Amino acid sequence: MLKRFLALLFFTFASSSAQQTPTAAAARWWSLTTALSNDSMQGRDTGSDAYERAAKMVADHFKADGLQPAGDNATYFQRVPMHQVDLDTVRSSVELIGLDGKVYPLPLLQETSLSPRADLPPLTEGKLVFIGYGALPAGIDLHGKVAVFFNRAPGGLTMEERGKFLAGRASALARSGVVGLLAIDDPGAIEPFHWPAAYARTVTLAGSEQKPSPNAPIAIRMSAMASYLLFPGIDPGKMLADAGMGKPLPTLQLEDSIRVRVKTTQKDIASPNVLAILRGADPALAPEYVAVSAHLDGYGFGTPVKGDSLYNGALDDAAYVATLLELAEKLTAPGVERPRRSILFCIFTGEEKGLLGSAWFTQHPTVRAAEIKADLNLDQLRPIFPLKILTMEGLTDSTLGDAARSVAAQFHLELRPDREPERNLFRRADNYSFVKIGVPIASFIFGYDPGTADERTYRDWYATRYHKPQDDLTTPIDWAAAVTFNDFYRALTLAVANNPVAPKWLSTSQYAPGSNQ
């Protein structure tokens, strides 16, 4: 067994980076990543047996390092109850119906997808009305129709105006009486949706109050290329180009109608967060916690891409669960002085399904929520080019920004705020669940200058590997960058844990308690 494991590591190192030899630190980190994201872990989908095995592996590591359990009933596990609804893609379909009755199938998961709900009607039909970016058109009755729009905001709006427009669009259209919403992918998006979709699945927390009303319209997603079928007599290339730039678009009564047949299955599932504590050494500060977090879940098996149907989730986010396991090892090594504050290790489930594990933890904390003074979250990190720049979510929102700048200077790293806020990365990771209970956060992304080879490498990874089976152990890794980041993260964790003054929100932050989040 050991021989096979070492052979796998050698193959992985050779295929990942032929120009670097991994140091002992890189090898240890990658061995943990490999253990969590090799094929036997089957992508660690939420609620799966494979996820349970990965969670046990993480808990066993924490136990071996002497961390205290912080889950339910004196265990390392906090079980998260959830409800899952899957679209049966064999017995479901999306079809365009022409005026002549000709049927144009739109393959599910390849060109279209939808968010399944248990209360969706088995059949939805309606005439298509194109309404640009989704604003209610004047003088057009949308009742019983399917509203078609590009999934972005029109140009000329401020960031705040764009946010309000996008947040209120679906509810405004639902009140107009539409039976369906057909959102076309934004052709100009910095981070476009990557087809095919792995699967069509909706997972919610059990008893969640955020369920749609029974009369909510069916929501369909369409690839930008598939939308060419919708606009006869119009140059679709120009339409896509205008939409990608947010230019004004016409309102059109389209010739086609759409027919959607839906069959779903549903079940209750549960999946654990893994929680552990390294107790602080200072009696005055030990009751306080610095949370360090990453998500263990991936996508499991899904739609094949290039013949591969296993979504391993190596960099998203097994590699950064591995960083936390390595952090626990180093902080508990013989002769290492414990930090003054306690470190709360949070390995979350259900992140890919909507931040569910972190939401459950922050709603049902296993420690006093008021004593969690910071969350340093690990997600969205891609050590695939040299580390010179770090983007930090939350950089200008709390005093964590100053702490991170000070530590980054020790590693000769430039720290920057998010220069692509339209991607909404701040709210798309588990750190946002902590923000909702008033905890300052930090989350990091490998940064780059526009037009450089580093940006091209970054964009290529998102185009070819992100949320795909190709996010696996063959990803080329910059070992020096990975180790530098892990060292930076450990130094930052210790700096925050040892500072006698806890992190505080800045009054200028939109996320500060009392502001409108």
Side-chain angles (χ1 to χ4, degrees), residues 468-482:
K468 293 188 180 209
Q470 287 68 39
D471 177 14
D472 60 14
L473 293 169
T474 66
T475 295
I477 301 296
D478 188 304
W479 303 112

Side-chain angles (χ1 to χ4, degrees), residues 76-306:
Y76 291 97
F77 304 113
Q78 180 190 41
R79 299 208 71 82
V80 181
M82 292 170 272
H83 187 72
Q84 177 174 310
V85 182
D86 283 280
L87 183 70
D88 182 339
T89 55
V90 174
R91 294 188 287 175
S92 302
S93 61
V94 179
E95 300 168 320
L96 286 181
I97 313 298
L99 283 177
D100 57 359
K102 188 174 182 179
V103 177
Y104 301 88
L106 296 171
L108 280 164
L109 304 184
Q110 303 292 335
E111 296 177 358
T112 58
S113 187
L114 58 90
S115 299
R117 304 194 318 261
D119 62 351
L120 284 176
L123 178 65
T124 299
E125 294 185 272
K127 292 290 294 183
L128 299 174
V129 181
F130 178 68
I131 55 173
Y133 302 103
L136 286 173
I140 294 182
D141 182 10
L142 293 178
H143 191 272
K145 307 289 181 60
V146 174
V148 182
F149 54 88
F150 281 105
N151 194 20
R152 62 159 295 161
L157 302 181
T158 66
M159 183 66 66
E160 182 178 0
E161 290 170 338
R162 285 201 299 272
K164 289 181 178 179
F165 176 85
L166 296 174
R169 177 173 57 193
S171 57
L173 288 171
R175 290 192 297 271
S176 74
V178 296
V179 296
L181 306 175
L182 178 57
I184 302 169
D185 282 350
D186 176 7
I190 290 177
E191 186 184 325
F193 185 80
H194 301 301
W195 296 92
Y199 39 64
R201 176 176 299 165
T202 302
V203 183
T204 56
L205 291 175
S208 171
E209 297 179 355
Q210 298 181 346
K211 295 179 180 178
S213 66
N215 295 321
I218 190 170
I220 309 161
R221 181 176 209 134
M222 173 181 278
S223 73
M225 293 304 295
S227 71
Y228 275 54
L229 296 172
L230 300 178
F231 304 109
I234 296 176
D235 180 357
K238 184 178 185 307
M239 178 75 81
L240 288 175
D242 288 348
M245 292 184 288
K247 291 184 176 181
L249 297 174
T251 297
L252 302 169
Q253 297 274 5
L254 301 179
E255 296 179 3
D256 295 338
S257 59
I258 199 166
R259 181 166 62 209
V260 184
R261 291 188 174 92
V262 170
K263 177 66 176 178
T264 61
T265 59
Q266 55 183 312
K267 61 182 178 180
D268 291 324
I269 62 173
S271 194
N273 294 326
V274 188
L275 306 170
I277 295 171
L278 173 62
R279 191 62 61 186
D282 186 329
L285 294 180
E288 300 179 354
Y289 300 92
V290 176
V292 291
S293 57
H295 71 88
L296 182 59
D297 63 299
Y299 275 84
F301 290 97
T303 307
V305 180
K306 298 180 180 179

Side-chain angles (χ1 to χ4, degrees), residues 34-52:
T34 300
L36 290 169
S37 61
N38 64 69
D39 285 0
S40 71
M41 279 300 176
Q42 300 181 326
R44 310 176 311 281
D45 197 9
T46 300
S48 69
D49 290 340
Y51 179 92
E52 296 284 343

